[in-house]
Amino acid sequence: MDNEYIVKTVLHAGSEVINFVPGTKVIFHFRTTKCDSDKTVIDDSRTMGNPMELILGKKFKLEVWEAIVQKMALNEVACFKVHKSLVTTYPFVSKTLREAGKPQSQKRSHHCCGVTLQNEGIGYADLDELIKYPQDLEFTIELVKVVLPNEYEKESWQMTENEKLESIPHLKEKGNALFREKKHDSASEIYAKAIGILEQLMLAEKPNDDEWLSLNRMKIPLLLNYAQCKLLNKEYYSVIEHCTTVLKTEPDNVKALYRRGKAYIGAWDEKNATGDLRKAAEIDPSLQNTVEKELQAFAAAIKEKDSIKIFFKMKLVSRYVDKDGEGRVSLVPENTEDMWHAYNLISEGDFVSCSTIRKVQTESATGSSNSYRVRTTLTICVENIDFDTQACVLRLKGRNVEENKYVKTGAYHTLDVEQNRKFSITKTKWDSIALERVDTACDPAQNADVAAAIMQEGIAQICLITSNMTIVRAKIDQVIPRKRKGHVSQHEKGLARFYESIMQGILRHINFDLVKCVILASPGFVKDQFMDYMIQQAVKSDNKVILDNKSKFLLVHTSSGFKHSLKEVLADPAVVSRISDTKAAGEVKALEAFYNILQTDPARAFYGKKHVEKASAAQAVETLLISDKLFRCQDVALRKEYVELVESVKDSGGDVKIFSSLHVSGEQLEQLTGIAASLRFPMPELEDESEDGSDSEEN
């Protein structure tokens, strides 16, 4: 040891001299101080909480530590004064050690550029000083433990390629032993480790070469074992992902097909579950009985799930809004319509809090990194809102505004508002429209009380008509052979298959405990023929659901079998009288009344923001029809104008009907600029303005 560059002082003699070899793991506590008169402490591993671990011969950043620990005996305590030329990397090692185990959001960034590094540093004032003004340092080291290479299980980064390959069978057997002990979480971790090592080795090989294919074959049983652990833990999407990886290489792998099929059952994916399980049984006939039992049980579970399905309402957890309109509301959406309400409640600039999944990456003292997923609660200032009506997913993007263990303030994040999970909205101003929507969303009297099956030969759509949405729950499109001489039976069989599909769709998607009316609509006699078929089949199979609710079915003529025909269906007098007390019927009736006035007394019916505002100023509005889409505009001032218009009409004794843009009546209102009004008395002066020029400023 060079007396000029490293000076050692023994403070406590050791108990055993060690023969250090490359790969030896040394564990020691250290205390780093300046060589000034105060012996200023820079770092202390005991304060940090963990001793330092070092693998000799792995080119650690601070090479001098490898040199000095090899001059020590076990349990020795010694002080080493080290020349500044040998500790230039210490500030960077210190930064890594200080931030080991912390999430990325709590780490202090630094630049690699030398000039910038000198000017801006690495985020710690004492370490920045060492970078600018290098100086001698003292390390007080206590050698706690020494482990020789053959005495500990190496991490993958410490292994040679041969050692990595040799470790795979041992890891597999270790995972199998844990699995037999029903320690599925621990087993999956071991399998994942083995898979990770193989994937590292595969990166060094050319895809589809012999070596690469050999490694890939070794990976397949590990993937299947890992998938089985996840299946038992009910982590179905992870099973689907890993079994799909296997099937890309071996499309007829029975275990992969069977386990993925079981995972699809867990995810309630009937089509894919049936496909995978039946294919597995075709390849391995011994599975036939097992597969049939699985599918029968799944079909029964689906039927039970559908039969008890209830449309719950949005749950109000808490609500505090002060007299100035500022406040916070916490809600739990419980169905598709609740998600629609949430979409309409949240505006850009609102603060939304809810739980989310975040990927966290940590770094150990030795420099190895690890990533895992955690569920945490974030609050973001909303900058972008996206609602997928088909998938029923509401995504919010914005910056985090509250310090979090995993996400720093100001970082962008996407929140998914999910069914059955609480979220909170904080607004600087809760206007009357937003508060009314909260009341409506949480009102248990609001339900999907109308259903419809609209059809024409070969095409059908089954819809639920809720207070705010028309939800297409099933689309049926089948080819029916044409009726030709000598081939009538083919046509009739095709029709029977088509009617059976509609009947099963009705049983699957319509809750007869809730709906007041099921509309069967079609051009011609398709609806009548279907009704006859359904009743006949219900009698044959003693289907109590159909037979007990026969009176709820209403047959209505329509021009086509497509969704847009709902407009004329809901306006049919027979339908109106049956669903007279529903919100959907109220909107349809109000819009129909507006059109009638527009035709018979045009001076009492106007649409467009400018004309309606003038009618409201004259307190002439009897019924205001307005689309909820207008309240989602990004222009805060414009939204405020619509809110004030609604409040003005209510104050003057008028009736306000807010139409959902996802409802057929709302779609029709949007064609009239989204806002219309029928008046108490004629205002011909507004009619004259309409003739002078178009309402070009409207939406």
Side-chain angles (χ1 to χ4, degrees):
M1 188 174 294
D2 195 322
N3 290 333
E4 183 180 348
Y5 286 91
I6 302 175
V7 178
K8 176 182 177 182
T9 305
V10 177
L11 303 179
H12 184 279
S15 58
E16 180 185 349
V17 177
I18 304 295
N19 180 27
F20 293 97
V21 296
T24 300
K25 181 190 287 187
V26 291
I27 301 169
F28 58 92
H29 276 294
F30 70 93
R31 188 168 184 256
T32 308
T33 59
K34 293 182 180 179
C35 296
D36 55 13
S37 57
D38 296 328
K39 297 290 181 182
T40 304
V41 177
I42 299 173
D43 290 309
D44 189 330
S45 64
R46 295 185 188 277
T47 304
M48 291 176 173
N50 293 304
M52 179 67 189
E53 290 188 10
L54 196 64
I55 307 295
L56 300 181
K58 291 297 178 180
K59 297 181 180 179
F60 184 63
K61 290 179 184 176
L62 191 62
E63 292 181 15
V64 70
W65 271 4
E66 286 202 33
I68 61 180
V69 294
Q70 292 184 66
K71 301 299 180 182
M72 297 179 69
L74 185 63
N75 298 319
E76 179 182 332
V77 181
C79 177
F80 297 88
K81 182 179 179 181
V82 182
H83 189 268
K84 61 184 180 182
S85 64
L86 299 179
V87 292
T88 53
T89 59
Y90 182 77
F92 305 99
V93 172
S94 174
K95 179 181 187 296
T96 300
L97 296 176
R98 292 179 187 187
E99 295 179 347
K102 289 184 179 181
Q104 194 65 35
S105 61
Q106 294 183 19
K107 296 182 180 181
R108 306 184 188 182
S109 60
H110 71 268
H111 294 272
C112 296
C113 169
V115 175
T116 308
L117 195 61
Q118 285 289 330
N119 293 332
E120 298 184 12
I122 58 175
Y124 296 91
D126 55 345
L127 302 181
D128 293 340
E129 182 187 355
L130 291 179
I131 293 172
K132 287 185 178 180
Y133 310 107
Q135 52 194 280
D136 296 350
L137 295 177
E138 280 189 0
F139 300 109
T140 303
I141 305 289
E142 179 187 356
L143 189 56
V144 177
K145 189 176 181 180
V146 176
V147 188
L148 297 176
N150 60 345
E151 295 176 347
Y152 68 93
E153 186 176 330
K154 295 180 181 180
E155 294 184 40
S156 61
W157 62 270
Q158 298 169 241
M159 299 179 186
T160 64
E161 288 197 2
N162 284 336
E163 287 174 331
K164 288 178 181 178
L165 200 55
E166 290 168 2
S167 72
I168 300 300
H170 300 295
L171 288 171
K172 183 182 177 183
E173 184 50 45
K174 185 177 179 181
N176 292 348
L178 289 167
F179 184 87
R180 287 192 291 271
E181 294 172 13
K182 298 186 178 180
K183 297 178 181 178
H184 303 133
D185 285 333
S186 300
S188 67
E189 288 177 9
I190 299 301
Y191 292 137
K193 183 177 179 180
I195 292 166
I197 291 172
L198 283 171
E199 288 178 344
Q200 287 177 10
L201 293 171
M202 290 170 73
L203 288 172
E205 305 296 336
K206 187 176 180 181
N208 297 315
D209 275 4
D210 290 343
E211 285 296 325
W212 188 93
L213 290 171
S214 175
L215 293 168
N216 194 45
R217 283 192 294 272
M218 292 176 68
K219 190 171 75 165
I220 284 173
L222 292 166
L223 287 168
L224 291 170
N225 291 356
Y226 179 85
Q228 182 63 19
C229 292
K230 293 299 180 181
L231 184 62
L232 292 169
N233 284 342
K234 299 182 179 181
E235 297 178 41
Y236 301 120
Y237 292 103
S238 180
V239 179
I240 292 167
E241 177 188 350
H242 288 87
C243 287
T244 300
T245 301
V246 172
L247 291 166
K248 286 178 181 177
T249 302
E250 298 182 2
D252 292 336
N253 189 295
V254 173
K255 286 184 178 180
L257 286 167
Y258 185 77
R259 288 171 191 174
R260 191 173 72 171
K262 291 272 289 179
Y264 278 130
I265 287 177
W268 295 96
D269 187 336
E270 185 179 12
K271 180 180 177 182
N272 284 315
T274 304
D276 277 357
L277 292 176
R278 291 211 184 283
K279 185 174 179 182
E282 285 175 16
I283 299 168
D284 183 356
S286 66
L287 288 173
Q288 191 68 47
N289 290 337
T290 304
V291 165
E292 287 305 319
K293 288 178 182 177
E294 290 281 3
L295 292 176
Q296 286 173 14
F298 186 33
I302 290 174
K303 189 173 182 180
E304 181 182 0
K305 177 174 179 279
D306 289 340
S307 67
I308 64 172
K309 188 175 180 180
I310 299 174
F311 281 80
F312 295 100
K313 294 314 298 170
M314 183 99 83
K315 188 183 294 179
L316 180 63
V317 179
S318 63
R319 170 173 166 172
Y320 174 75
V321 179
D322 63 24
K323 58 182 175 34
D324 296 321
E326 185 174 355
R328 180 185 180 97
V329 174
S330 297
L331 301 158
V332 179
E334 295 187 326
N335 59 38
T336 305
E337 191 168 356
D338 289 349
M339 297 297 290
W340 174 249
H341 284 305
Y343 172 51
N344 281 278
L345 280 170
I346 299 169
S347 303
E348 292 181 9
D350 290 349
F351 298 97
V352 174
S353 302
C354 72
S355 67
T356 184
I357 299 294
R358 183 78 177 183
K359 186 176 181 181
V360 177
Q361 192 163 15
T362 58
E363 190 174 289
S364 70
T366 56
S368 62
S369 62
N370 182 38
S371 64
Y372 57 97
R373 296 169 72 84
V374 296
R375 183 169 285 280
T376 185
T377 299
L378 292 183
T379 301
I380 65 168
C381 180
V382 179
E383 295 183 10
N384 182 265
I385 306 167
D386 178 52
F387 182 48
D388 184 336
T389 56
Q390 295 301 315
C392 196
V393 175
L394 177 57
R395 290 194 174 91
L396 312 174
K397 295 181 182 178
R399 293 182 184 273
N400 182 37
V401 295
E402 291 183 4
E403 190 64 39
N404 181 280
K405 182 179 178 182
Y406 305 107
V407 184
K408 63 183 179 182
T409 303
Y412 271 103
H413 193 81
T414 299
L415 293 182
D416 285 353
V417 177
E418 302 171 318
Q419 292 183 46
N420 301 308
R421 199 177 293 281
K422 187 182 86 167
F423 73 98
S424 299
I425 311 171
T426 302
K427 291 178 180 281
T428 54
K429 177 67 176 178
W430 282 88
D431 57 44
S432 61
I433 299 298
L435 291 173
E436 187 176 321
R437 185 171 283 276
V438 171
D439 294 337
T440 301
C442 300
D443 179 4
Q446 305 286 332
N447 283 312
D449 45 15
V450 182
I454 307 171
M455 63 193 82
Q456 64 187 49
E457 199 167 281
I459 297 172
Q461 299 190 70
I462 298 169
C463 308
L464 292 179
I465 305 165
T466 73
S467 303
N468 297 282
M469 303 170 70
T470 301
I471 308 167
V472 178
R473 297 310 301 266
K475 293 181 180 178
I476 299 161
D477 189 351
Q478 294 183 2
V479 177
I480 299 174
R482 295 178 64 182
K483 188 185 292 185
R484 293 180 297 188
K485 190 174 181 179
H487 296 85
V488 175
S489 62
Q490 294 297 320
H491 174 75
E492 290 176 349
K493 286 178 182 178
L495 272 178
R497 285 194 301 271
F498 175 57
Y499 291 153
E500 180 64 24
S501 298
I502 298 175
M503 181 175 169
Q504 292 304 318
I506 287 172
L507 290 170
R508 175 76 55 82
H509 296 292
I510 295 176
N511 186 341
F512 285 90
D513 292 333
L514 290 177
V515 297
K516 298 177 180 178
C517 175
V518 182
I519 302 165
L520 302 180
S522 77
F525 297 100
V526 178
K527 60 187 180 301
D528 307 86
Q529 293 168 359
F530 167 71
M531 184 69 179
D532 292 341
Y533 173 87
M534 182 171 63
I535 298 301
Q536 287 173 14
Q537 294 301 312
V539 170
K540 282 182 184 178
S541 60
D542 193 27
N543 190 313
K544 297 292 187 184
V545 176
I546 296 294
L547 296 176
D548 291 349
N549 291 281
K550 182 180 176 182
S551 61
K552 290 185 178 180
F553 288 90
L554 179 64
L555 277 60
V556 179
H557 176 80
T558 186
S559 58
S560 78
F562 295 95
K563 178 188 168 186
H564 64 78
S565 297
L566 272 176
K567 179 180 67 177
E568 58 188 273
V569 169
L570 294 174
D572 187 283
V575 175
V576 171
S577 64
R578 183 75 73 90
I579 62 172
S580 57
D581 59 341
T582 69
K583 181 177 183 288
E587 291 179 2
V588 172
K589 189 175 179 180
L591 193 59
E592 198 67 26
F594 173 79
Y595 276 118
N596 287 335
I597 295 171
L598 189 62
Q599 290 176 351
T600 58
D601 191 359
R604 285 184 51 235
F606 292 93
Y607 57 89
K609 180 171 175 284
K610 184 173 70 174
H611 287 157
V612 173
E613 281 179 333
K614 288 187 177 181
S616 175
Q619 297 189 351
V621 177
E622 183 175 39
T623 305
L624 174 66
L625 318 178
I626 186 166
S627 170
D628 59 10
K629 190 174 185 178
L630 299 180
F631 299 109
R632 293 197 301 274
C633 63
Q634 297 180 16
D635 188 331
V636 177
L638 185 57
R639 175 190 164 93
K640 188 177 179 182
E641 289 177 14
Y642 287 123
V643 172
E644 289 173 349
L645 176 59
V646 168
E647 292 174 346
S648 172
V649 170
K650 287 181 177 180
D651 290 344
S652 63
D655 184 22
V656 176
K657 294 194 178 297
I658 300 176
F659 285 58
S660 168
S661 57
L662 277 194
H663 205 290
V664 285
S665 55
E667 293 171 2
Q668 196 173 2
L669 181 60
E670 281 188 49
Q671 296 174 9
L672 299 175
T673 74
I675 185 168
S678 53
L679 311 187
R680 296 189 178 95
F681 50 84
M683 291 188 70
E685 61 272 25
L686 292 183
E687 194 175 16
D688 293 340
E689 285 185 22
S690 295
E691 292 173 359
D692 293 339
S694 63
D695 199 359
S696 59
E697 65 177 337
E698 302 314 329
N699 300 288

